[in-house]
Amino acid sequence: MPNGQHGQQQPPAGGQWYPPEWPDRIRALADGSLTPVDPRRAATVMLLRDTPDGPVVHMLRRRASMAFAGGAYAYPGGGVDPRDEDHQVGWAGPSQDDWAHRLGTDARTAQAIVCGAVRETFEEAGVLLAGESPGTVVGDTTGDDWEADRLALVARELSFAEFLDRRGLRLRSDLLGAWARWITPEFEPRRYDTWFFVAALPEGQRTRNASTEADRTVWIRPADAADGYDKGELLMMPPTISTLRSLEPYGSASEALAAAGAQDLTPVLAQAALESGELVLSWPGHDEFTKRVRLGGSS
């Protein structure tokens, strides 16, 4: 479930997570001894469900033992499967060309990114945004046969296009809205170019913790999750807390989906600089995440 950053966690100020190896890597980037790796495309989905108190979002807590952001809360997500660029995919909703225009890519890449969002939501939450016809969505996906297919997808033994074809399903691209795009900083050894999507939980389906990387799942109001972050009770990476805050104004899942088309998909990429004996890490347009690290390594 990539979210734009990586590394071991250190005690957060508030709920913000920063890997302790960052200062050394930022220095290396600054002096030219570190060459940035190309980011891998990824997709993650903010799955929403309506309640009497407003919409809640589905979040996973990464196992504390994980090298990448152990204990941090995130959304279902992961890397894009290159096979999804080439295969004919059962499709309903805005076309691959429409998505290419929205995501700023070519049609083949857009298909793979949207497939990645739908596939990862099924793999990690057991929720499938697909149906037998353009106006339908599958119901309960908790049976043994569904689980066998899910595990085959996780193991990459089955491509998503093959999975849809086997079951006579069409991906419902109209149930997704593109929300944001964050790119892992250039000084990280593993980088992702991650598109964030919003979607509503289909009627008849329910989430479950299907991810081996998570030890807990929650449905939580975005404002409550942000409050937990501000108090230092919930650990999150900048892309997660930023997108959570951006969901707060919406009173229902449908309102958020309707607002997706107006969201800015300009990539957010952290910048690192040396200023007056400090390493300064910032995300353009997101001042709350600015981090200053003294060259001695303390922060």
Side-chain angles (χ1 to χ4, degrees):
M1 55 187 93
N3 236 327
Q5 298 164 226
H6 300 262
Q8 299 283 347
Q9 80 178 60
Q10 64 181 20
Q16 192 170 356
W17 168 80
Y18 283 103
E21 69 271 19
W22 274 10
D24 289 340
R25 297 192 65 83
I26 293 171
R27 291 188 190 96
L29 182 68
D31 66 23
S33 61
L34 185 154
T35 301
V37 300
D38 292 332
R40 179 187 176 192
R41 290 192 296 271
T44 189
V45 177
M46 300 179 289
L47 192 63
L48 300 174
R49 165 170 74 79
D50 288 327
T51 75
D53 296 321
V56 290
V57 63
H58 181 68
M59 303 192 76
L60 318 173
R61 185 178 67 185
R62 295 184 58 82
R63 295 184 185 279
S65 59
M66 297 294 292
F68 161 40
Y73 282 79
Y75 314 112
V80 168
D81 186 344
R83 292 177 297 179
D84 291 333
E85 292 185 9
D86 303 319
H87 291 7
Q88 181 73 32
V89 176
W91 197 272
S95 70
Q96 288 89 336
D97 286 337
D98 292 334
W99 277 103
H101 179 73
R102 177 67 177 127
L103 300 179
T105 68
D106 59 73
R108 291 172 67 247
T109 300
Q111 173 176 288
I113 293 168
V114 174
C115 282
V118 176
R119 175 179 47 74
E120 286 288 339
T121 305
F122 181 53
E123 287 184 10
E124 297 199 338
V127 170
L128 183 59
L129 305 176
E132 294 181 357
S133 64
T136 63
V137 184
V138 297
D140 184 12
T141 62
T142 58
D144 290 344
D145 58 333
W146 286 105
E147 179 63 8
D149 279 351
R150 191 191 68 80
L151 290 173
L153 287 168
V154 171
R156 299 296 183 262
E157 297 167 356
L158 184 67
S159 76
F160 194 61
E162 291 168 340
F163 162 71
L164 293 176
D165 187 57
R166 172 188 293 185
R167 289 188 168 269
L169 297 175
R170 301 184 185 189
L171 180 153
R172 288 286 305 275
S173 80
D174 55 319
L175 300 182
L176 285 169
W179 197 265
R181 181 181 178 186
W182 288 68
I183 301 176
T184 308
E186 291 182 333
F187 47 81
E188 281 285 45
R190 294 166 55 202
R191 302 183 62 214
Y192 288 94
D193 183 351
T194 304
W195 280 264
F196 286 72
F197 294 85
V198 65
L201 179 69
E203 186 175 350
Q205 293 192 37
R206 54 194 175 94
T207 57
R208 57 195 175 93
N209 182 8
S211 172
T212 59
E213 298 178 353
D215 62 10
R216 178 177 190 220
T217 64
V218 295
W219 282 102
I220 187 169
R221 291 197 316 140
D224 292 338
D227 184 58
Y229 167 90
D230 291 335
K231 292 177 178 177
E233 297 169 354
L234 300 182
L235 193 65
M236 297 179 204
M237 294 171 284
T240 309
I241 182 59
S242 173
T243 48
L244 271 173
R245 293 199 201 285
S246 70
L247 288 173
E248 288 186 41
Y250 303 101
S252 68
S254 61
E255 282 185 20
L257 277 167
Q263 301 302 309
D264 185 3
L265 295 189
T266 302
V268 180
L269 174 65
Q271 297 178 348
L274 294 170
E275 296 179 5
S276 303
E278 288 184 317
L279 293 169
V280 181
L281 181 64
S282 61
W283 278 259
H286 300 268
D287 292 343
E288 75 165 295
F289 304 130
T290 298
K291 176 73 170 178
R292 293 179 177 272
V293 182
R294 290 192 294 275
L295 286 177
S298 60
S299 58

